Amino acid sequence: MYKELEGFKVTNQFSLTIEDNLEDACNASEGSGVFLVYDVTDEKELIMVGSTGTVQNNGSLKTKNGGLYDKIVNGHQFAKTGRKYSWPAQMKKENISRLEVVWYETFNNEIKVIPTYVEAQVLQNFLNENSKLPRWNVAF
């Protein structure tokens, strides 16, 4: 686990196989924060980091309806379609048998850490260790 994620108390994880329905498997909250996606087919490998929620000038949080849950399930990746469709297709293409998704609320009533800041920290550490971004992160 990345040390940047240690202090967040609202967190959970779920697994996904190609046969699973992402809408049913996803247990993420409607809060704002970050999510990490691991390929756990052979060894546990971080393949993506994402976030949701934007802090406004006045310190308030702007969120899309559905928060982390909606970003994970319906966010676009690999195509102009939601992850509930694109992840199983990409898993099949890459011969990934199971994903593990770990999510953290980073901005709520108790804690106020900008989600993209945490995302950037995790990606920076990954870049420092691997000289590249996780393979499902196109750019940052």
Side-chain angles (χ1 to χ4, degrees):
M1 180 166 95
Y2 290 90
K3 67 180 184 323
E4 299 81 13
L5 303 171
E6 290 174 359
F8 302 114
K9 293 184 175 105
V10 181
T11 178
N12 209 333
Q13 65 184 48
F14 64 91
S15 293
L16 182 76
T17 67
I18 293 173
E19 294 81 31
D20 295 333
N21 179 325
L22 182 55
E23 289 176 296
D24 296 334
C26 183
N27 65 1
S29 73
E30 293 187 4
S32 294
V34 298
F35 60 97
L36 285 67
V37 181
Y38 295 91
D39 174 353
V40 291
T41 302
D42 295 319
E43 293 182 21
K44 189 172 181 176
E45 175 192 355
L46 180 65
I47 61 173
M48 186 195 156
V49 180
S51 68
T52 187
T54 305
V55 178
Q56 301 298 297
N57 179 271
N58 67 1
S60 68
L61 186 73
K62 178 182 176 186
T63 59
K64 294 180 181 166
N65 289 343
L68 282 160
Y69 176 89
D70 189 61
K71 181 77 170 199
I72 293 168
V73 172
N74 296 310
H76 291 188
Q77 188 173 7
F78 304 118
K80 295 203 186 309
T81 184
R83 291 186 178 100
K84 62 186 169 189
Y85 305 113
S86 65
W87 276 6
Q90 192 68 22
M91 289 170 71
K92 190 171 188 175
K93 182 178 177 183
E94 293 185 29
N95 202 25
I96 297 172
S97 62
R98 189 167 64 92
L99 295 177
E100 182 178 291
V101 181
V102 185
W103 57 268
Y104 304 83
E105 277 190 22
T106 67
F107 201 102
N108 56 33
N109 291 334
E110 286 84 45
I111 192 160
K112 306 230 181 292
V113 182
I114 301 169
T116 51
Y117 172 72
V118 178
E119 178 186 20
Q121 286 182 304
V122 173
L123 286 172
Q124 183 64 57
N125 284 340
F126 188 92
L127 179 65
N128 291 347
E129 294 168 10
N130 301 282
S131 300
K132 62 182 180 178
L133 293 177
R135 70 179 189 246
W136 282 14
N137 282 95
V138 177
F140 187 79

